[in-house]
Amino acid sequence: MSQPKTIQDENLPIWLPRLAVHGGPRFLQIADALQAAVADGSLKPGDRLLPQRRLAAQLDVDLTTITRAYDEARRRNLLEGRGARGTYVAAPKVELTSILDLSMNTPPPPDGVDFDDMLKQGLSQVLMSADSELLMTYHLAGGSDSNRKAGAKWLAPMFGHLDSRQLVVCPGAQAAIAALILALTEPGDVILTEPMSYPGLRTAATQFGRRIIAVEADKHGMVPERLEEACRRHKPRLVYLNPTLQNPTAITMPQRRRKEIAGVAKRCDVRIVEDDPYWLLADAPPPPVATFAPEQVVYISTLSKCLTPGLRVAFVLIRDPDERTRFLVALRSFALMVAPLTAALATQWILDGSADRLMEGVRNEARLRHRMARDILAGRYSGAAAEDGLHAWLELPTYWSPSQLARAAESEGIAVTPAEAFATGSGSVNAIRISLGSIKDRGRLQAGLQRLSYLLARRPESFGGAVV
């Protein structure tokens, strides 16, 4: 039986380049070289690599650099450890799922940011500076002083200086929406929203026995005159808005419309829940509605949509102290607290600037993906769609219905979300939402978009799924 090939000690390993002084982090240069060597066949599955100490000596770098390089290569599924036998080039990973998911609104991998390294460093800082027992015990709902101060810093681009005592830290925006419904409405009460709206609102309202009524919207969002009519007629307790890069239509409500909506809320004395997860991803968005009617609006900003879903942290701005107390009581009924370790990591990242770097990487990658999608799906993007955020609203040709297209796409290995999933009224919209962040690899995203483009160009009668 032949022995596995070993990279020789006496010469610089053939798969490694000379490390460039200005070529970026050395561990990434090494990992990139490994990936290139596997791609061009210089290294093959089963080849054994030098032990880390010997490779570090050959390259004149410290052991930590090699360890990080090997860890990064393992993350890319290039290497596998075999205990005392050493580290080997891994066999190609078999992709067991062929579904290209364009249905889930998650941030894309950040462009130019080593997320794994950022996560390790952030957790390291948290563990060095915090008592581990405090990170693993119960905390009062609403967040600590440091969590709320981090929240005030996070919201500064929208509001400037904030009193952090007016903020509540929640385990995600969905929990915040549910708690607001419980705190500010009664069973049978009406909640007004746009005809196409976030499905999580409808789910929570239905579970709690509240009624959702749609208010007419145009190319700028909810129509103020129709809102005022609905307020007079239905006496709602809440109005739900997602005014920036709206989910699903990608409309950003202009400043004048926001002022008009705020004026209606004041005249009709109705509370607005402004769910604004994409504001920081948008290019020069207008001020939040909450800036025009501070006492009427509760503002929600989640980290899950602009940083990473794993940070189940949302900041809720509630200026009225009595409403804030009622909100906390409602929140405690189903979500006692944000996980302390998660909240500590979010706070660390916000205060040390890592969150801003991560968000900039997400923003840049999202814009690259929007440009790719526009090129491939030319003419299908809604006229109101921007090149920011995580999703696009695609208007369908008349020969496709949203549910029909979604079923056909699934047969082609693509998941999309039809307009019906967002509908709160009786009207129909011939469109689908596609999400551009959930497919990690840009090449696979491109393939999925091209496949979707081909499907859109075909009439349903020419589509035939396999019979099994």
Side-chain angles (χ1 to χ4, degrees), residues 62 102 106 179 260 265 306 348 367 369 394 404 427 445 458 464:
D62 57 65
L102 298 175
T106 61
E260 292 170 342
C306 50
Q348 175 68 38
R367 287 173 181 167
R369 290 172 178 233
L394 298 189
Q404 190 180 38
L445 173 64
R458 292 155 56 189

Side-chain angles (χ1 to χ4, degrees), residues 52-73:
Q52 294 183 28
R53 291 186 184 278
R54 289 162 64 188
L55 184 57
Q58 280 203 351
L59 294 180
D60 194 24
V61 298
D62 57 65
L63 178 61
T64 301
T65 298
I66 302 299
T67 300
R68 293 178 69 190
Y70 278 23
D71 286 346
E72 173 64 16

Side-chain angles (χ1 to χ4, degrees), residues 18-60:
R18 300 282 179 186
L19 297 179
V21 175
H22 302 295
R26 291 187 167 193
F27 81 95
L28 285 180
Q29 291 186 55
I30 297 169
D32 290 344
L34 252 173
Q35 185 166 358
V38 171
D40 67 19
S42 301
L43 286 175
K44 296 179 175 58
D47 286 354
R48 182 183 177 187
L49 301 188
L50 280 177
Q52 294 183 28
R53 291 186 184 278
R54 289 162 64 188
L55 184 57
Q58 280 203 351
L59 294 180
D60 194 24

Side-chain angles (χ1 to χ4, degrees), residues 190 192 213 215 222 224-239 261 264-272:
V190 166
L192 300 179
I213 293 179
V215 177
M222 186 179 283
E225 294 80 9
R226 302 290 86 78
L227 172 61
E228 190 151 5
E229 290 173 5
C231 286
R232 305 294 183 197
R233 179 179 179 183
H234 299 291
K235 308 298 182 188
R237 299 294 295 273
L238 289 180
V239 176
I261 294 287
V264 173
K266 291 177 183 177
R267 289 193 296 275
C268 297
D269 191 26
V270 63
R271 288 288 179 270
I272 292 176

Side-chain angles (χ1 to χ4, degrees), residues 54 111 153 156 159 194 343 357 363 373 416 438 442:
R54 289 162 64 188
D111 180 53
K153 181 178 179 182
F159 298 100
E194 291 169 311
R357 294 193 298 277
R363 185 189 293 118
V416 299
S438 56
R442 210 182 288 166

